Amino acid sequence: MAASGKVASFRLPPLPTIGEVIKLYNLRAEKQLSQNFLLDMKLIDKLVRQAGSLKGAHVCEVGPGPGGLTRSILNAGAKDLLVVEKDTRFIPGLKLLSEAAPGRLRIIHGDILTYRMDRGFPLNITKPWEHDPPNLHIIGNLPFSVATPLIIKWLESMANRTGPFMYGRTRLTLTFQKEVAERLTASTGSRQRSRLSIMAQYLCTVRSCFTIPGRAFVPKPEVDVGVVHFTPLVQPQIQQPFKLVEKVVRNIFQFRRKYCRKGIEMLFPEACRLELAEEMMRRADVDPTLRPTELTIPHVRALADAYAHLCTKEPSLITYEFREELRLKHLDVLILTSDPTHIAPRPVGPQKEVSVFRMVLENGNKMAAPLSRPLLLCITFSFGRLS
């Protein structure tokens, strides 16, 4: 009986339903903010259960909206619930919940993309990374427009052990468009395998929980919604900086229907592209005819290690972007002479590329915008090849 009384103490007192709160405060989902309300409390409770036991837990909820998920988290026994809400229209309804759960609900009016979550919870909940996860959870029914940039931001924080991950291996339970959820959890060789698959899975155990039909939301979105749970790994499967891994994976998957070698080549300036790509593939011992979707995490690890090795030999490669080189070659290049009123004539004809490169090399310090060292490097390579 004592145990059941303790559980009962977690329950909120009788409150207006979510539908009644929406009517009371004249709330409506804003399409431009990708807002969709989930009103079915059975589905909401099922979503919250995917996070595991919340009794005595610290929780950050992202975008609580009218507060359906907030109620379920409080009823599950969360000791300290921090909600971050950008839309001021929802604050009065959340304050109503705060009064019903004194001392358990804190409301932050702000943007989760900029909120400093490392300041949101007491340091005494921190656990060493190698130990079990801390009693801290991030839960959210994310607006579609913010879901992907937010998970990328959190994956980078996870890799650097900053933000919510300064407390340890904080777990996340989040909603995404079904297509995005499938990409996050896609296995090697599947059609949904993508950049997101690699970036999430080299850092986390990623679990697809269940799918919420679009008709359960108000207004009804055109797609279904997937619930995904993330638990950070004790040891990331790739031991390279996040930005380096992201660059390699991004280049590989931009040509997802080509052989992986095509994307690897784009990591290098055109003049030395084939040679360095071949060296990288050889060092990684990866079959260059594999498609991006066929690459395993160990394949990507070997490629990232090989690229990092090449970057230690030529540090400017890490900041090289092939699109910058393309802009130089295919856009008009305006070069200012020492007289700011004079613009050098644009070369024409078959020698245009060589002339442009020559002018850049000779007049680089007089250009309207200074060139980065990697770009000057690739110009030097190309000029040497063309001339």
Side-chain angles (χ1 to χ4, degrees):
M1 291 298 293
S4 64
K6 187 175 181 180
V7 172
S9 69
F10 290 131
R11 308 297 297 182
L12 292 170
L15 290 166
T17 66
I18 298 300
E20 289 170 343
V21 168
I22 290 173
K23 289 181 181 179
L24 177 64
Y25 294 103
N26 194 27
L27 302 174
R28 67 178 184 275
E30 294 289 350
K31 187 174 182 180
Q32 62 267 33
L33 297 178
S34 302
Q35 292 176 344
N36 302 93
F37 300 152
L38 182 59
L39 306 182
D40 186 332
M41 288 306 298
K42 289 183 179 179
L43 284 173
I44 291 173
D45 289 342
K46 183 177 180 181
L47 191 162
V48 170
R49 286 197 297 273
Q50 307 310 309
S53 174
L54 296 183
K55 291 181 181 179
H58 297 264
V59 180
C60 176
E61 183 191 352
V62 182
L69 204 55
T70 312
R71 295 181 186 211
S72 183
I73 293 169
L74 290 170
N75 280 330
K79 171 185 177 182
D80 173 34
L81 173 55
L82 174 71
V83 298
V84 182
E85 178 54 65
K86 184 178 181 180
D87 194 332
T88 55
R89 297 175 303 141
F90 298 119
I91 301 299
L94 294 171
K95 287 182 177 178
L96 180 69
L97 281 177
S98 180
E99 293 169 1
R104 296 174 59 202
L105 176 59
R106 295 180 287 140
I107 303 167
I108 299 294
H109 177 219
D111 188 343
I112 191 63
L113 286 169
T114 56
Y115 177 67
R116 291 284 305 272
M117 205 179 296
D118 54 341
R119 300 175 178 176
F121 297 94
L123 291 177
N124 61 11
I125 70 170
T126 303
K127 285 197 174 182
W129 194 265
E130 298 75 19
H131 292 193
D132 290 338
N135 199 10
L136 171 63
H137 301 259
I138 298 174
I139 303 176
N141 174 27
L142 304 180
F144 295 157
S145 61
V146 77
T148 299
L150 186 56
I151 192 59
I152 290 293
K153 170 185 166 68
W154 278 337
L155 289 171
E156 183 169 6
S157 296
M158 195 182 297
N160 298 327
R161 302 183 186 181
T162 57
F165 305 100
M166 65 161 285
Y167 302 102
R169 294 188 296 122
T170 302
R171 290 159 288 182
L172 306 94
T173 307
L174 306 168
T175 63
F176 300 88
Q177 291 185 55
K178 184 181 178 183
E179 180 183 0
V180 177
E182 289 174 345
R183 290 176 184 171
L184 285 163
T185 58
S187 58
T188 304
S190 69
R191 190 178 63 179
Q192 293 84 8
R193 188 76 161 174
S194 68
R195 175 178 70 110
L196 273 179
S197 314
I198 303 292
M199 299 307 295
Q201 293 171 29
Y202 97 84
L203 288 165
C204 308
T205 298
V206 188
R207 176 170 59 89
S208 177
C209 302
F210 68 101
T211 300
I212 305 174
R215 64 178 179 274
F217 293 85
V218 177
K220 178 183 176 298
E222 296 180 359
V223 295
D224 293 337
V225 171
V227 179
V228 182
H229 183 78
F230 304 81
T231 303
L233 295 170
V234 172
Q235 194 74 272
Q237 295 192 64
I238 302 175
Q239 299 294 320
Q240 294 294 344
F242 180 89
K243 288 190 181 298
L244 183 147
V245 178
E246 194 276 334
K247 182 181 180 183
V248 171
V249 174
R250 170 166 41 88
N251 275 270
I252 290 172
F253 275 93
Q254 69 182 327
F255 302 107
R256 59 180 296 113
R257 296 185 180 180
K258 305 286 186 181
Y259 294 147
C260 65
R261 180 191 173 101
K262 175 68 174 176
I264 295 298
E265 290 174 358
M266 296 301 108
L267 289 166
F268 306 107
E270 184 179 12
C272 53
R273 183 164 291 161
L274 297 181
E275 301 95 310
L276 289 180
E278 184 177 347
E279 181 180 346
M280 179 172 162
M281 299 298 295
R282 184 173 59 250
R283 186 176 186 86
D285 193 25
V286 172
D287 182 352
T289 64
L290 288 174
R291 309 284 181 183
T293 56
E294 297 174 319
L295 294 175
T296 63
I297 298 291
H299 284 145
V300 179
R301 177 172 62 239
L303 290 168
D305 289 345
Y307 181 63
H309 173 77
L310 292 173
C311 289
T312 59
K313 293 168 62 177
E314 178 46 72
S316 62
L317 287 176
I318 194 65
T319 53
Y320 169 77
E321 293 288 346
F322 82 95
R323 294 187 187 281
E324 190 176 7
E325 184 175 8
L326 284 178
R327 279 197 300 271
L328 178 71
K329 293 179 65 176
H330 298 133
L331 298 180
D332 291 337
V333 181
L334 298 179
I335 302 179
L336 301 178
T337 64
S338 55
D339 178 2
T341 64
H342 175 71
I343 298 179
R346 288 162 48 190
V348 295
Q351 295 302 311
K352 178 176 180 179
E353 278 191 273
V354 175
S355 300
V356 168
F357 289 139
R358 182 175 288 113
M359 283 193 297
V360 170
L361 290 172
E362 293 174 355
N363 301 284
N365 61 327
K366 302 171 186 175
M367 292 188 68
L371 295 173
S372 65
R373 183 169 179 265
L375 184 52
L376 283 171
L377 175 68
C378 80
I379 292 170
T380 306
F381 285 154
S382 299
F383 177 63
R385 181 176 63 84
L386 291 169
S387 60

